[in-house]
Amino acid sequence: MRLSDDVLLDLMTRFQTEMVKGLGRDTNPTAAVKMLPTFVRSIPDGSEKGDFLALDLGGSKFRVLKVKVSEDGKQNVQMESQFYPTPKEIIHGNATELFDYVADCLEDFMENKNIKHKKLPIGFTFSFPCKQAKLDEGVLLSWTKHFKARGVQETDVVSSLRNALRKHKDVHADVLALVNDTVGTMMTCGYDDQRCEVGVIIGTGTNACYMEEMSHIDLVEGDEGRMCINTEWGAFGDDGSLEDIRTEFDREIDLGSINPGKQLFEKMISGLYLGELVRLILLKMAKEGLLFNGEIATALRTKGKIETKHVAAMEKYKEGLSNTKEILMELGLFPSEEDCVAVQHVSTIVSFRSANLCAAALAAILTRLRENKKLMRLRTTVGMDGTLYKTHPQYAKRLHKVVRRLVPNCDVRFLLSESGSGKGAAMVTAVAYRLASQRKQIDEILASFKLSKENLREVKTKMRAELEYGLKKETQPNATVKMLPTYVCGTPDGTEKGKFLSLDLGGTNFRVLLVKIRSGRRKSVRMYNKIFAIPLEIMQGTGEELFDHIVQCIADFLEYMGIKGARLPLGFTFSFPCRQASIDKGTLVGWTKGFKATDCEGEDVVDMLREAIKRRNEFDLDIVAVVNDTVGTMMTCGYEDPNCEIGLIAGTGSNVCYMEDMKNIEVVEGNEGKMCINTEWGGFGDNGCIDNIRTKYDKEVDEGSLNPGKQRYEKMTSGMYLGEIVRQILIDLTKHGLLFRGQISETLRTRGIFETKFLSQIERSEEFCSNLDWTALVTTALL
């Protein structure tokens, strides 16, 4: 029974392997350690409040509790409880008798507390392995400890309890959560210490739970956030993996139990078995003449005569030896002083082995937590409960010491659950209430972002009307969707060839490209490009500074490519609304996307570029075309697919172009053929036609922008603004106390701090804390 650190480290590795098997969909059916999902997704955050009932079934007594959780600026929990016996005829009877008894006890408690008239939610601590599909459902897999009621296994215990409660017409309570006692322990301690993410019970039985990443739990849909896993570690070794450390005494205990071959790890550890292990060892020693002069008293031959409370008393500091003598004499034995020392030594070895085994399995869980978080060093709290852990004078100290030795890279605080797992069931129920309430409030806040099919049809109809207004000569001046002719009258047909320069201005970066096009059977396009930054002071400086910067970038590129002397045809992608009179002329209607260079609006941007080239006087270029970025997109794709006749940009800004019949374009002469129309749909709604779907957050973002009242549709759809909309929502949620404990940081108050790229990262991330779960919900709703 003496286990070296090497053996314990080996057990750690074995248990980690069993955990992985239990979490896997394909390996779980044959896994000994079942790793049961509990559907508990969050630990308390201190904002829980309300009145709850809790039932605690699983130990030597059954307990009913009334738990009042109040916030009032400080966390406060008030409890009233009553214990009821668990008679053998009930726990070894049938399902109906068991749950009728539980319901009768609950009615008695509610009557005594004068709360039968209240409708209170119940948290049910049920300390046996259950397969859960949701928080208020649990199918019993097998009884453990000394319970063996017939007709309960493979049935939903919550449903059985509800049926029993219905027989009591004046009891108005329903089960909201089914909780294992380890989960209850973790939640109880989690209310006092939010670092608590492990719960361990070492009492009549033994078990542990911990918070696992959803992405690792194959048995439950979803990858976001975490869920508490009830390991059911008592069954570790049921597949034969611990045979090398099990002793003849362990095997004898198992054979004499009510569930032979099951819960083998638990039978080496828990309070239900330690006293019996000591008895069997003492019996063998007496038979071999090593104790009591070889005399074997009736007590040594009687199963259950030595209890775990005796083992604990024998190890009490200073009093242990005298306690040992007293206990042995009460059992009808007449020990010598040497006998007492030997019996005390046996008790020490048996209980020390129990602590060592628990420490090895717990160290495996802590290592998994650290690896899940990708940390070099983990700081965490373990919630502890159970009569053996609490009443044995040496047990806790030994457990703590061995755990810290096995995982030196984990800083562990062991927190005793003062109120038991019953309070934890109430806390699970309180958290479920809080999360449901938060979800409801968040859903209400985000409801304005959820567009019905009817809303979308209305937007479609209004957009169609605005497109028509923009095409007509009479209504075009007042149209919000400007429908600008581009003088691009055809898409590529594959015969294009030659070398061309291209400029692309529209976001925070400016790009210069050399494009080589080959036609014929070996049709190809080769591109060489360089990207240059556009500093904010240039974007919002003077027009002359902006175009001088552009020409400087062109000069750098020409020199880089070694073509400074070549006079190549140039196409200028200018991603801002321009009124064109021909393909090489474009008058800027208005800046968008954060640009605000002066003396540009109302000017021909091609002329401004030519003037800047002249000022530099280093090279000359043949500017053939100015196009919008959507037109550039359509033409690029049109080269690959002749059917392409629409170009759409969803980036820093948002816009679309398409090929329109000339006969419908009243602002341009001619009725033959088609021309590409740059819709400039970002201005859709500037006349108030979509105010019914604009939220208060859209209005706040618009008011804080460089161009209030303009580009309203773009501000609801494009990358320049989505992050800022999320920031406004997060501030509102925090004000409502739904995020960050109601504390708005200075960083969150900073405009533009929440970038749109964060939305992408959040949407694809598998690692959420509870606050990010809500943030992910916000970003999903917004997108």
Side-chain angles (χ1 to χ4, degrees):
M1 288 193 173
R2 296 176 185 274
L3 303 175
S4 68
D5 278 5
D6 285 343
V7 171
L8 295 178
L9 288 167
D10 179 50
L11 286 175
M12 267 180 69
T13 304
R14 292 189 217 179
F15 189 71
Q16 284 176 304
T17 303
E18 289 298 315
M19 290 170 77
V20 173
K21 280 172 69 175
L23 289 170
R25 181 178 280 108
D26 297 333
T27 49
N28 175 272
T30 57
V33 180
K34 284 300 179 188
M35 304 293 284
L36 301 170
T38 65
F39 293 83
V40 171
R41 299 287 307 270
S42 175
I43 58 173
D45 70 357
S47 66
E48 293 76 18
K49 55 188 174 183
D51 292 336
F52 307 93
L53 289 169
L55 309 177
D56 191 353
L57 180 68
S60 52
K61 290 181 180 178
F62 168 58
R63 188 159 66 136
V64 184
L65 307 91
K66 177 179 173 287
V67 182
K68 185 180 184 66
V69 185
S70 55
E71 194 183 3
D72 302 329
K74 59 180 182 178
Q75 296 171 223
N76 187 24
V77 178
Q78 296 171 317
M79 293 194 304
E80 300 173 74
S81 70
Q82 190 170 330
F83 285 96
Y84 294 87
T86 49
K88 191 170 182 179
E89 63 269 21
I90 294 294
I91 63 175
H92 285 190
N94 62 44
T96 303
E97 291 166 345
L98 175 63
F99 289 103
D100 281 351
Y101 179 73
V102 169
D104 291 343
C105 294
L106 176 61
E107 182 182 37
D108 178 72
F109 178 82
M110 293 181 78
E111 193 164 327
N112 290 343
K113 301 299 177 187
N114 196 28
I115 54 173
K116 280 177 85 171
H117 61 286
K118 288 190 175 182
K119 189 174 183 179
L120 297 175
I122 299 172
F124 184 16
T125 299
F126 188 72
S127 310
F128 306 95
C130 285
K131 185 176 182 179
Q132 290 187 256
K134 51 187 179 179
L135 189 60
D136 62 347
E137 179 186 290
V139 175
L140 177 64
L141 296 178
S142 61
W143 284 118
T144 58
K145 294 170 275 199
H146 51 287
F147 278 69
K148 207 164 186 179
R150 299 180 304 279
V152 184
Q153 280 183 235
E154 303 302 323
T155 67
D156 177 13
V157 296
V158 174
S159 179
S160 298
L161 179 55
R162 282 174 175 157
N163 290 336
L165 289 171
R166 284 191 196 103
K167 297 173 187 176
H168 299 266
K169 303 297 182 188
D170 48 353
V171 172
H172 305 291
D174 188 29
V175 183
L176 189 71
L178 179 73
V179 184
N180 183 273
D181 53 352
T182 53
V183 181
T185 297
M186 183 187 77
M187 295 297 276
T188 299
C189 296
Y191 188 70
D192 299 316
D193 181 346
Q194 286 175 29
R195 287 188 184 275
C196 185
E197 50 191 346
V198 184
V200 177
I201 300 276
I202 311 169
T204 309
T206 184
N207 194 14
C209 71
Y210 72 102
M211 296 300 289
E212 178 61 84
E213 303 298 323
M214 279 290 290
S215 57
H216 298 157
I217 309 171
D218 287 355
L219 303 172
V220 179
E221 292 299 317
D223 287 336
E224 296 168 7
R226 301 201 296 172
M227 182 181 287
C228 181
I229 289 291
N230 165 21
T231 66
E232 287 298 335
W233 77 10
F236 180 34
D238 287 4
D239 57 357
S241 60
L242 296 180
E243 287 309 299
D244 57 326
I245 64 163
R246 290 179 73 224
T247 67
E248 61 183 282
F249 311 109
D250 297 311
R251 293 186 176 92
E252 193 170 343
I253 285 243
D254 178 44
L255 289 171
S257 70
I258 61 173
N259 55 350
K262 294 182 178 178
Q263 299 295 108
L264 299 183
F265 191 59
E266 181 171 81
K267 288 169 184 171
M268 299 162 76
I269 291 171
S270 74
L272 192 60
Y273 306 100
L274 287 198
E276 185 64 6
L277 274 171
V278 169
R279 184 188 71 83
L280 292 172
I281 296 168
L282 298 184
L283 178 60
K284 181 171 183 179
M285 290 174 73
K287 283 178 178 178
E288 295 189 6
L290 300 171
L291 281 178
F292 316 126
N293 292 321
E295 292 181 19
I296 303 171
T298 305
L300 277 186
R301 296 184 185 276
T302 308
K303 183 178 177 181
K305 269 294 182 180
I306 298 180
E307 299 175 38
T308 299
K309 67 180 181 183
H310 297 140
V311 176
M314 289 177 193
E315 288 208 67
K316 197 166 184 184
Y317 181 61
K318 290 186 178 179
E319 301 167 30
L321 216 51
S322 60
N323 287 344
T324 303
K325 185 172 183 178
E326 188 179 323
I327 290 162
L328 293 173
M329 291 183 73
E330 283 175 4
L331 294 172
L333 296 160
F334 299 96
S336 65
E337 190 172 331
E338 290 80 6
D339 288 337
C340 291
V341 170
V343 171
Q344 187 187 45
H345 190 55
V346 169
S347 294
T348 299
I349 286 178
V350 169
S351 58
F352 214 129
R353 183 186 71 156
S354 168
N356 276 339
L357 291 171
C358 269
L362 178 54
I365 289 174
L366 294 170
T367 300
R368 184 167 181 87
L369 280 173
R370 183 181 62 79
E371 290 173 352
N372 282 349
K373 295 181 179 185
K374 299 178 175 62
L375 296 173
M376 293 295 289
R377 189 166 198 86
L378 174 72
R379 185 180 173 194
T380 192
T381 297
V382 178
M384 300 295 304
D385 203 358
T387 50
L388 179 58
Y389 178 84
K390 290 194 288 190
T391 61
H392 190 293
Q394 309 296 331
Y395 200 97
K397 183 171 64 178
R398 290 170 182 163
L399 177 78
H400 302 172
K401 189 175 181 180
V402 178
V403 167
R404 289 175 176 134
R405 203 165 67 232
L406 294 176
V407 280
N409 48 4
C410 296
D411 298 319
V412 188
R413 180 191 182 202
F414 291 89
L415 182 59
L416 182 63
S417 170
E418 300 288 354
S419 313
S421 53
K423 174 185 170 184
M427 292 314 307
V428 171
T429 310
V431 169
Y433 248 57
R434 168 174 63 80
L435 293 177
S437 172
Q438 286 182 341
R439 181 65 189 242
K440 186 180 176 186
Q441 289 181 69
I442 288 175
D443 283 347
E444 287 170 359
I445 288 170
L446 296 180
S448 56
F449 287 94
K450 293 177 181 176
L451 302 175
S452 65
K453 284 185 179 178
E454 191 178 324
N455 292 140
L456 295 176
R457 286 193 193 100
E458 185 186 355
V459 171
K460 174 185 163 186
T461 302
K462 288 178 178 177
M463 176 67 87
R464 179 66 189 268
E466 291 296 317
L467 298 179
E468 299 287 350
Y469 293 152
L471 288 171
K472 294 190 185 325
K473 187 179 283 185
E474 210 174 284
T475 51
Q476 204 271 346
N478 297 318
T480 56
V481 180
K482 288 299 180 187
M483 304 296 284
L484 302 171
T486 65
Y487 293 87
V488 172
C489 297
T491 54
D493 65 4
T495 62
E496 295 77 16
K497 60 183 178 180
K499 292 181 184 178
F500 306 89
L501 276 178
S502 178
L503 312 179
D504 188 357
L505 178 69
T508 51
N509 291 326
F510 170 62
R511 195 157 62 126
V512 186
L513 306 92
L514 174 65
V515 183
K516 296 180 179 180
I517 304 173
R518 177 186 284 177
S519 62
R521 282 191 303 172
R522 297 176 66 190
K523 186 175 87 166
S524 67
V525 177
R526 293 175 68 189
M527 292 192 295
Y528 309 87
N529 73 89
K530 202 168 184 185
I531 296 172
F532 302 89
I534 305 283
L536 187 65
E537 61 271 20
I538 296 291
M539 289 168 65
Q540 297 180 10
T542 67
E544 193 169 289
E545 288 169 342
L546 174 62
F547 282 93
D548 282 349
H549 180 77
I550 289 170
V551 171
Q552 173 66 57
C553 296
I554 296 170
D556 289 350
F557 179 77
L558 294 175
E559 193 162 316
Y560 171 73
M561 294 298 297
I563 53 171
K564 209 162 189 179
R567 192 172 188 271
L568 297 173
L570 180 144
F572 185 12
T573 298
F574 188 74
S575 307
F576 304 93
C578 283
R579 199 177 302 282
Q580 289 187 252
S582 64
I583 199 165
D584 63 347
K585 290 200 171 293
T587 302
L588 178 62
V589 174
W591 286 117
T592 59
K593 295 177 285 194
F595 277 73
K596 212 164 186 180
T598 58
D599 305 320
C600 294
E601 293 179 2
E603 299 295 327
D604 182 350
V605 295
V606 176
D607 285 345
M608 293 185 79
L609 179 58
R610 285 179 175 140
E611 289 299 318
I613 291 170
K614 280 182 188 174
R615 279 197 297 276
R616 190 167 184 91
N617 197 28
E618 280 185 21
F619 53 84
D620 194 17
L621 297 171
D622 180 15
I623 305 170
V624 174
V626 60
V627 295
N628 184 272
D629 53 352
T630 54
V631 180
T633 297
M634 182 188 75
M635 297 297 276
T636 299
C637 296
Y639 189 73
E640 304 296 332
D641 181 350
N643 293 318
C644 181
E645 50 187 356
I646 300 175
L648 189 147
I649 297 280
T652 308
S654 178
N655 195 14
V656 74
C657 71
Y658 72 101
M659 296 300 291
E660 178 63 84
D661 290 337
M662 283 290 292
K663 64 185 179 187
N664 297 329
I665 309 171
E666 294 185 5
V667 292
V668 177
E669 294 296 321
N671 290 325
E672 297 299 317
K674 292 186 173 188
M675 181 183 287
C676 182
I677 291 292
N678 166 20
T679 65
E680 287 299 335
W681 75 3
F684 177 46
D686 288 1
N687 59 0
C689 70
I690 54 170
D691 279 359
N692 62 314
I693 63 166
R694 290 178 75 226
T695 67
K696 66 175 183 177
Y697 309 107
D698 296 310
K699 290 167 186 169
E700 284 167 3
V701 167
D702 178 41
E703 286 162 11
S705 70
L706 289 170
N707 54 349
K710 294 181 179 179
Q711 299 294 108
R712 290 179 177 178
Y713 187 66
E714 181 170 80
K715 288 168 186 171
M716 297 165 75
T717 55
S718 75
M720 181 90 178
Y721 305 98
L722 291 193
E724 182 61 14
I725 295 173
V726 170
R727 187 184 73 88
Q728 295 290 348
I729 299 170
L730 298 185
I731 287 173
D732 203 19
L733 292 177
T734 308
K735 284 178 181 174
H736 282 81
L738 299 170
L739 283 180
F740 315 126
R741 290 177 162 262
Q743 302 297 312
I744 304 174
S745 67
E746 284 306 310
T747 308
L748 191 56
R749 294 181 194 276
T750 308
R751 182 175 295 280
I753 198 72
F754 200 96
E755 299 176 44
T756 298
K757 69 179 179 182
F758 298 158
L759 275 68
S760 305
Q761 291 165 2
I762 289 167
E763 285 273 18
R764 70 169 169 258
S765 174
E766 293 181 354
E767 296 173 8
F768 291 123
C769 66
S770 56
N771 275 333
L772 279 185
D773 277 340
W774 294 128
T775 311
L777 184 67
V778 171
T779 60
T780 303
L782 182 61
L783 291 172

